[in-house]
């Protein structure tokens, strides 16, 4: 009996739903430990510590809102699907028959060459890859993330990066806030100054937040490097064999290919209509390339 490994991979989607519950649980534990057990008593005492705790609670909630907003945008936003019967277009057809490959867009050419997916039996745009978990081709696929039960691709990569950023900031702040309680954990347990359940929650929240903050820092550094060179996780191997990466347009343009040009929306999981209309890369089907690199 033949076993279809690609079908087995689709079972990972079930794991993703447990990950969503895990995220909700971690947020719940952290919220209770930081807001109610740590900052709450300080707010009741008054004075400078009360003011500091109030500021922490405000920042905590702002980061939490931005974190959840970005998270749900990654979960529910389609990363980009290939239109039915899409076909690859040559550079000559794209720029016009008989025209030279003249550089456009400040010295960069716009090409729409692609390939063919044997699994989907459909055309495959450039930078598009087939996801074994989702069982479909994803535009400018970066990776399939079990934490969001979705692929990260052209149309939700910005939301994913913001989710990483705000989660890192939130967990780092939680770790700093809970550090004194963690240091005094054994003394509080010996003196019975708090209930065992509250002590256990504070201890667990500190360990979880510290672990996530450290791991997210590594992910942020990695994706910052990928963003600066306009590379996806699945393109890293392909890029190693090249002298110049054809999609590397310079740090400023690389950043705008993901976050758009409207600065007021850079830190929000949103795009302006102008950017969606004027930056084809955000759609995932067409990407400008360096004019000094062969396609």
């Amino acid at each position: 009996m033949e076993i279809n490994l690609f079908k087995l991979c689709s079972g990972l989607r079930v794991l993703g739903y447990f990950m969503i519950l895990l995220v909700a649980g971690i947020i719940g534990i952290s919220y209770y430990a930081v807001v109610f057990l740590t900052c709450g008593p300080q707010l009741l005492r008054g004075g400078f510590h009360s003011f500091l705790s109030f500021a922490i609670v405000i920042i905590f909630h702002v980061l939490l809102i931005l974190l959840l907003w970005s998270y749900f945008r990654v979960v529910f936003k389609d990363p980009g699907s290939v239109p039915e019967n899409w076909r690859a277009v040559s550079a000559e057809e794209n720029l016009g028959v008989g025209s030279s490959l003249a550089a456009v867009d400040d010295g960069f050419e716009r090409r729409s060459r692609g390939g063919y997916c044997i699994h989907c039996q459909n055309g495959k745009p450039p930078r598009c890859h087939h996801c074994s978990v989702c069982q479909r081709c994803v535009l400018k696929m970066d990776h399939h993330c079990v934490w969001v039960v979705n692929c990260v691709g052209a149309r939700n990569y910005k939301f994913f990066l913001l989710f990483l950023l705000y989660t890192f900031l939130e967990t780092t702040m939680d770790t700093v806030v809970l550090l004194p309680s963690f240091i005094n954990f054994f003394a509080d347990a010996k003196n019975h100054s708090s209930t065992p359940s509250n002590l256990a929650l504070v201890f667990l929240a500190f360990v979880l937040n510290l672990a996530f903050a450290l791991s997210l820092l590594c992910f942020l550094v990695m994706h910052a490097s990928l963003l600066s060179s306009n590379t996806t996780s699945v393109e890293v191997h392909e890029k190693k064999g090249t002298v110049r990466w054809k999609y590397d347009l310079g740090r400023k343009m690389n950043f705008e290919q993901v976050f758009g040009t409207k600065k007021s929306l850079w830190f929000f999981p949103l795009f302006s209509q102008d950017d969606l209309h004027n930056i084809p890369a955000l759609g995932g089907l067409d990407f400008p390339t360096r004019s000094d690199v062969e396609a």
Side-chain angles (χ1 to χ4, degrees):
M1 182 180 64
E2 294 184 0
I3 299 177
N4 190 332
L5 295 179
F6 289 100
K7 291 293 185 182
L8 292 177
C9 287
S10 63
L12 291 175
R13 291 182 64 87
V14 178
L15 176 62
Y17 296 114
F18 287 103
M19 290 299 188
I20 291 179
L21 294 176
L22 180 59
V23 170
I26 294 172
I27 290 175
I29 291 173
S30 300
Y31 191 95
Y32 187 76
V34 172
V35 177
F36 288 98
L37 297 182
T38 304
C39 292
Q42 296 290 342
L43 287 171
L44 297 176
R45 292 175 187 174
F48 174 76
H49 291 291
S50 177
F51 174 79
L52 182 61
S53 296
F54 179 76
I56 290 173
V57 170
I58 294 298
I59 297 173
F60 178 92
H61 282 89
V62 170
L63 289 175
L64 182 61
I65 290 171
L66 291 171
L67 183 162
L68 291 175
W69 187 7
S70 301
Y71 181 71
F72 287 123
R73 288 287 276 163
V74 182
V75 172
F76 294 110
K77 179 64 177 178
D78 188 340
S81 301
V82 182
E84 190 176 356
N85 298 323
W86 185 93
R87 76 178 183 89
V89 180
S90 67
E92 289 78 5
E93 290 177 302
N94 193 40
L95 293 174
V97 177
S99 65
S100 63
L101 291 178
V104 296
D105 292 337
D106 299 325
F108 301 105
E109 295 174 356
R110 200 170 290 286
R111 299 188 177 106
S112 296
R113 298 181 183 181
Y116 185 80
C117 178
I118 58 175
H119 304 291
C120 299
Q121 296 187 350
N122 192 18
K124 184 191 262 187
R127 313 188 77 178
C128 175
H129 295 273
H130 187 86
C131 176
S132 302
V133 180
C134 295
Q135 296 290 301
R136 61 169 178 150
C137 282
V138 176
L139 301 180
K140 194 189 173 186
M141 178 180 172
D142 188 87
H143 69 288
H144 182 91
C145 182
V146 294
W147 289 94
V148 300
V149 203
N150 198 5
C151 272
V152 176
R155 299 175 185 176
N156 66 353
Y157 186 47
K158 173 187 176 180
F159 311 149
F160 174 75
L161 293 180
L162 290 176
F163 168 61
L164 288 183
L165 174 63
Y166 292 131
T167 305
F168 169 72
L169 294 176
E170 182 78 272
T171 53
T172 300
M173 189 185 77
D174 292 352
T175 301
V176 173
V177 171
L178 295 172
L179 180 59
S181 298
F182 178 78
I183 294 175
N184 297 325
F185 172 78
F186 294 102
D188 292 341
K190 183 178 180 179
N191 298 329
H192 303 287
S193 58
S194 184
T195 63
S197 60
N198 287 345
L199 286 172
L201 279 173
V202 170
F203 183 89
L204 179 61
F206 175 84
V207 172
L208 287 174
N209 280 278
L210 177 61
F212 272 92
L214 293 176
S215 60
L216 285 169
L217 178 60
C218 298
F219 276 107
L220 276 174
V221 171
M222 181 189 75
H223 280 283
S225 176
L226 294 175
L227 178 66
S228 67
S229 61
N230 202 351
T231 311
T232 64
S233 298
V234 296
E235 291 173 340
V236 171
H237 178 73
E238 179 185 349
K239 180 187 172 186
K240 285 182 179 178
T242 63
V243 177
R244 292 187 181 89
W245 180 236
K246 60 184 177 181
Y247 297 114
D248 188 353
L249 313 178
R251 291 184 179 178
K252 181 176 182 293
M253 289 192 67
N254 292 343
F255 182 86
E256 292 175 349
Q257 294 284 298
V258 175
F259 282 80
T261 59
K262 196 170 182 62
K263 296 180 180 180
S264 60
L265 296 181
W266 279 354
F267 294 100
F268 298 98
L270 297 169
F271 288 111
S272 69
Q273 289 300 318
D274 288 340
D275 282 343
L276 291 175
H277 183 265
N278 297 324
I279 304 178
L282 294 178
L285 290 171
D286 191 19
F287 301 93
T289 58
R290 299 172 61 103
S291 57
D292 58 347
V293 178
E294 293 184 2

